[in-house]
Amino acid sequence: MNKRIYLSLAAAILPLVIFAQPNAAEYKKRAESMYRLVWSHYRVAKYNGLFLENYPSGRSDSLNYFQGESVKEKEVSFLWPFSGVFTSTNILMRVRGLKAKYKPYQDSLVTGIEQYRDTLRQPPGYQAYPVRFEKADRYYDDNGLVGIDYMESYFNTHNPLYLKRAKEVFKFILSGWNNDAGGGVTWLEGHNDQKPACSNGMATLTALKIYEGSKEYYYLEQGKRFYNWMYSTLRDSTTGIISNDVKLDGKQNRTFWTYNTGSLMEAAVLLYRFTGEAKYLTQAKQLAVSSFSYYSNLPHSKELKLHIDVPWFVTVLFRGYEALYKIDHNYQYIAAIEHDLNYAWQNSRDKYGLITKSWLPDGKQLAKPKWLLDEACIAELYARLYLLKTIK
């Protein structure tokens, strides 16, 4: 072949090679690689099943995801970031050939999560910090995450204890329901000031996943009750997506975190699957269109397709898009997150292999300790992408 023609062809082909998305095998490799990093860097050996909040851990960071004032980083992580490791483990167990490999990790995480379970206050529920260290608040959104993780564990193993635990969690969540603002549960036990999407979205998914696993109609009805309240009360009429919360006077807090729409979108798809009612699929598609329009048009780096608010929040949005994709096969929304995640993997990892919270190669973020939840969700996302790429 003429050398000049060969070089011209190579130049034409090269950009396609550079920007091509990795294959499924690479996604599996990345999922397992990130999971190993999380397990090796964050696990606290002297407390069986527990993890650090940040790595490296100087225990000097202020954590601001609580009711009231921020708190200092403690000896082990709070429940919310812990749940990210539990979730990623369950998703890796779905990968063909990996269930037996990750079952011991799941067992360890069950041991860990039970250390947050408080049985002195009734009904039993999971508090924000392990009981062995102190008494802490019990958040309804945290408990929803526990319920979801136990149901995913049940789907993987069919261990009846996991189904029982999820039902117990849902009983605790229901104890927070009242008719202020038309229904729903508050953020945490004993604070009746707002009804947030996070608590109610995770409660909706807990109920629907219990129904999926048990076929007990009661949980389908409860899932519908939570869903209908959220869709009618928290959906913003201007953007079409889900507001952060509603105050007791009915006023919406028009802050739009990605995960709030993601959880309700996944719930809408589940309700469509379970009932066959077309309205739920229509609503899921509306939430997908509206959220993609909103987050792709927010100011964001030119290297990314979407605004990244919090990596785990985007992961929950991905779950909604993933559920919908399995019905309508529209890959557009997943492709945007896939693109951004791959950019972060290639460009935004620090010297330990951990990824910045913005998914951008920001110098200050690269130098800072990384939050457990920001990293555990990377393993989950890559495992989910692998599963999507290998669907027959």
Side-chain angles (χ1 to χ4, degrees), residues 286-336:
Q286 290 171 341
L287 290 168
V289 170
S290 298
S291 60
F292 187 77
S293 174
Y294 185 82
Y295 295 112
S296 63
N297 284 294
L298 282 182
H300 60 276
S301 168
K302 61 181 174 56
E303 287 84 7
L304 302 180
K305 302 287 188 183
L306 296 174
H307 167 73
I308 306 299
D309 47 8
V310 176
W312 183 82
F313 288 2
V314 174
T315 303
V316 177
L317 181 64
F318 182 97
R319 295 176 199 166
Y321 291 152
E322 176 189 27
L324 182 58
Y325 168 74
K326 291 176 181 178
I327 302 293
D328 71 1
H329 307 294
N330 181 357
Y331 201 74
Q332 174 189 9
Y333 312 124
I334 291 173

Side-chain angles (χ1 to χ4, degrees), residues 138-145 147-148 169-170 172-189 191-209 219-235 242-248 259-268 270-271 312 316:
R138 302 195 295 184
Y139 288 78
Y140 295 113
D141 59 333
D142 282 355
N143 279 264
L145 296 175
I148 293 167
V169 165
F170 189 69
F172 168 72
I173 294 171
L174 270 184
S175 72
W177 179 285
N178 62 49
N179 291 323
D180 294 339
V185 299
T186 56
W187 188 22
L188 71 157
E189 187 179 31
H191 290 263
N192 192 30
D193 56 348
Q194 58 168 297
K195 302 289 185 71
C198 60
S199 296
N200 290 280
M202 299 309 165
T204 307
L205 289 171
T206 296
L208 293 177
K209 287 176 185 289
Y219 293 100
L220 178 59
E221 288 301 295
Q222 292 301 318
K224 286 181 180 179
R225 181 165 73 137
F226 273 98
Y227 178 90
N228 291 333
W229 178 82
M230 280 191 69
Y231 193 85
S232 62
T233 307
L234 292 173
R235 183 170 176 264
I242 305 303
S243 298
N244 185 72
D245 62 79
V246 63
K247 306 305 180 190
L248 300 190
Y259 75 143
N260 291 325
T261 299
S263 62
L264 200 66
M265 193 190 318
E266 182 183 357
L270 289 175
L271 282 168
W312 183 82
V316 177

Side-chain angles (χ1 to χ4, degrees), residues 52-311:
L52 296 172
E53 187 85 21
N54 292 297
Y55 184 85
S57 179
R59 298 186 195 160
S60 59
D61 196 17
S62 291
L63 310 176
N64 60 2
Y65 54 86
F66 302 99
Q67 176 88 356
E69 297 181 356
S70 62
V71 302
K72 287 292 185 182
E73 181 181 351
K74 295 178 181 285
E75 193 165 1
V76 299
S77 81
F78 285 88
L79 178 54
W80 181 25
F82 175 96
S83 73
V85 187
F86 202 169
T87 305
S88 63
T89 306
N90 276 317
I91 302 305
L92 279 164
M93 287 180 70
R94 292 188 197 170
V95 175
R96 180 177 295 180
L98 295 187
K99 181 178 287 189
K101 178 179 179 178
Y102 286 98
K103 180 64 170 65
Y105 294 88
Q106 183 192 68
D107 293 341
S108 177
L109 288 157
V110 169
T111 298
I113 208 164
E114 286 304 300
Q115 295 181 55
Y116 295 83
R117 189 168 185 258
D118 166 39
T119 58
L120 294 179
R121 289 171 282 183
Q122 293 295 315
Y126 293 76
Q127 62 174 44
Y129 200 66
V131 173
R132 69 194 297 171
F133 296 106
E134 62 187 56
K135 181 180 179 180
D137 287 328
R138 302 195 295 184
Y139 288 78
Y140 295 113
D141 59 333
D142 282 355
N143 279 264
L145 296 175
V146 174
I148 293 167
D149 284 331
Y150 264 130
M151 284 312 302
E152 293 298 334
S153 299
Y154 177 73
F155 296 145
N156 280 328
T157 66
H158 302 291
N159 184 337
L161 175 63
Y162 300 158
L163 177 60
K164 178 184 176 184
R165 288 280 189 249
K167 289 180 176 180
E168 290 170 348
V169 165
F170 189 69
K171 182 178 180 180
F172 168 72
I173 294 171
L174 270 184
S175 72
W177 179 285
N178 62 49
N179 291 323
D180 294 339
V185 299
T186 56
W187 188 22
L188 71 157
E189 187 179 31
H191 290 263
N192 192 30
D193 56 348
Q194 58 168 297
K195 302 289 185 71
C198 60
S199 296
N200 290 280
M202 299 309 165
T204 307
L205 289 171
T206 296
L208 293 177
K209 287 176 185 289
I210 293 173
Y211 172 73
E212 183 175 11
S214 69
K215 298 298 184 261
E216 295 177 39
Y217 191 69
Y218 167 79
Y219 293 100
L220 178 59
E221 288 301 295
Q222 292 301 318
K224 286 181 180 179
R225 181 165 73 137
F226 273 98
Y227 178 90
N228 291 333
W229 178 82
M230 280 191 69
Y231 193 85
S232 62
T233 307
L234 292 173
R235 183 170 176 264
D236 175 61
S237 60
T238 302
T239 62
I241 58 178
I242 305 303
S243 298
N244 185 72
D245 62 79
V246 63
K247 306 305 180 190
L248 300 190
D249 61 5
K251 184 177 181 180
Q252 285 184 358
N253 171 3
R254 298 183 70 254
T255 301
F256 304 110
W257 297 107
T258 46
Y259 75 143
N260 291 325
T261 299
S263 62
L264 200 66
M265 193 190 318
E266 182 183 357
V269 174
L270 289 175
L271 282 168
Y272 171 70
R273 282 178 45 208
F274 299 156
T275 69
E277 294 182 40
K279 70 174 182 178
Y280 294 120
L281 181 58
T282 298
Q283 290 170 358
K285 290 181 176 180
Q286 290 171 341
L287 290 168
V289 170
S290 298
S291 60
F292 187 77
S293 174
Y294 185 82
Y295 295 112
S296 63
N297 284 294
L298 282 182
H300 60 276
S301 168
K302 61 181 174 56
E303 287 84 7
L304 302 180
K305 302 287 188 183
L306 296 174
H307 167 73
I308 306 299
D309 47 8
V310 176

